[in-house]
Amino acid sequence: PVGSLAALLLCLILFFSQNMAQLTGNEAALLNARLKDSLIEYGFYLAAYDINSAAGIAGEAAGWMDEALREAEQAQQEAGDDPAALKKAEKKVKALQKVCGRYEIFRTDGQALAYVDQYKREGRASQNLVEEALALSEEYPGNLQAQYAAALIGSSLTYDGADHYDRTAKALLRLEEQYLEERVPGKEERLVFEKDIARMLMQIYHEEEAAEILEEIEEEAADTEVYELLARCYDHTGRQEEAYELAADCADRGVDSP
């Protein structure tokens, strides 16, 4: 009987501890549990390379966060001059803000994924999508995925008189810096990455920045494509003599190149 009673008490303790949020109406704990489950789902879909589903999970989770904060802040405003009600409302807002801060990934990486997914599904970038991706990259300048989305989408939309080129170039340079710092790629991966960044900069007519990147890897890469890209950058920026010297050097090496 004593053992049975102890077992019953243990079950009750576990039940109450696991369901305390629901029993007390603790919105912060409820939101945390909900977002924690969403994060597991988000990670599962990413591992399965299902970007569309991962982006959907992130968007839904971000919506819950926004709704919870909006309701809490509204309750804080409605508390008025009642000290007790105001203190309770402020405490609730702070608790929810703390929870949301733990899951900022849904607003950054998740939103960036959503933009990339939309771009790939539609097969092109609209001006509105470019603006949204750039705004995200500027709101979170230290987030790698946000810079990638802005760089990819912004550099794909080119037309005469476009006004997003400078902002896209800044996102590209932030992407380059953060990728090299966070991922620390090996030599081959780094050289391929740097060439890709240079190409995208050239797409938006930022050949000077592209040339700087290509000059850094020119000798190490010893790559015909690097020489070609660099010669184009020189030619487009009024450095024709250097472009000629580089082309002549390639010809002397016997490189089969346009």
Side-chain angles (χ1 to χ4, degrees):
V2 174
S4 298
L5 181 60
L8 177 60
L9 287 171
L10 179 59
C11 289
L12 287 171
I13 290 171
L14 289 172
F15 172 80
F16 280 106
S17 64
Q18 293 173 358
N19 296 278
M20 189 58 68
Q22 289 87 342
L23 293 171
T24 60
N26 187 331
E27 289 89 344
L30 282 167
L31 181 62
N32 184 71
R34 201 176 188 187
L35 293 174
K36 188 176 181 181
D37 289 341
S38 293
L39 189 60
I40 294 171
E41 278 191 89
Y42 176 76
F44 171 80
Y45 284 120
L46 279 184
Y49 299 100
D50 187 345
I51 295 178
N52 181 264
S53 296
I57 292 293
E60 185 178 39
W64 295 337
M65 292 158 64
D66 290 339
E67 182 181 5
L69 285 171
R70 184 167 53 251
E71 290 179 355
E73 288 167 356
Q74 183 178 349
Q76 183 179 5
Q77 293 176 355
E78 293 173 352
D81 298 328
D82 184 342
L86 185 59
K87 184 177 180 180
K88 183 179 179 180
E90 289 175 347
K91 185 177 180 181
K92 181 178 177 180
V93 169
K94 288 180 180 178
L96 286 170
Q97 287 174 337
K98 186 176 181 180
V99 169
C100 292
R102 295 187 201 128
Y103 299 94
E104 195 70 9
I105 189 173
F106 291 132
R107 301 189 194 278
T108 54
D109 296 52
Q111 187 59 63
L113 275 179
Y115 292 147
V116 171
D117 179 59
Q118 182 181 341
Y119 165 68
K120 291 184 175 180
R121 280 188 291 105
E122 296 178 354
R124 65 182 188 84
S126 65
Q127 188 63 56
N128 186 58
L129 183 59
V130 168
E131 179 56 40
E132 289 179 339
L134 285 171
L136 182 72
S137 74
E138 291 161 351
E139 183 178 359
Y140 299 98
N143 183 267
L144 182 65
Q145 293 297 338
Q147 306 319 309
Y148 170 72
L152 174 69
I153 297 168
S155 64
S156 71
L157 183 64
T158 58
Y159 57 89
D160 291 342
D163 59 3
H164 64 272
Y165 289 161
D166 288 347
R167 294 169 66 200
T168 301
K170 290 177 181 178
L172 274 160
L173 295 176
R174 288 195 297 266
L175 171 63
E176 182 203 16
E177 180 181 2
Q178 290 168 28
Y179 184 87
L180 296 178
E181 287 181 0
E182 294 182 22
R183 301 296 173 87
V184 193
K187 176 183 174 181
E188 293 304 317
E189 181 184 347
R190 178 172 56 81
L191 294 176
V192 170
F193 172 75
E194 294 284 33
K195 280 197 294 184
D196 288 341
I197 292 291
R199 283 196 206 92
M200 287 192 279
L201 283 167
M202 292 171 71
Q203 285 174 211
I204 55 173
Y205 307 103
H206 276 254
E207 285 92 350
E208 289 186 6
E209 292 92 333
E212 290 179 8
I213 291 173
L214 293 167
E215 285 168 347
E216 289 180 3
I217 66 172
E218 177 187 0
E219 293 302 321
E220 187 178 9
D223 183 338
T224 304
E225 187 178 14
V226 171
Y227 301 145
E228 291 176 8
L229 292 171
L230 188 53
R232 283 171 53 195
C233 288
Y234 288 159
D235 184 46
H236 293 169
T237 54
R239 298 164 67 180
Q240 277 78 25
E241 190 171 327
E242 291 171 272
Y244 174 80
E245 289 176 0
L246 185 57
D249 183 47
C250 287
D252 289 340
R253 298 182 195 188
V255 174
D256 183 16
S257 162

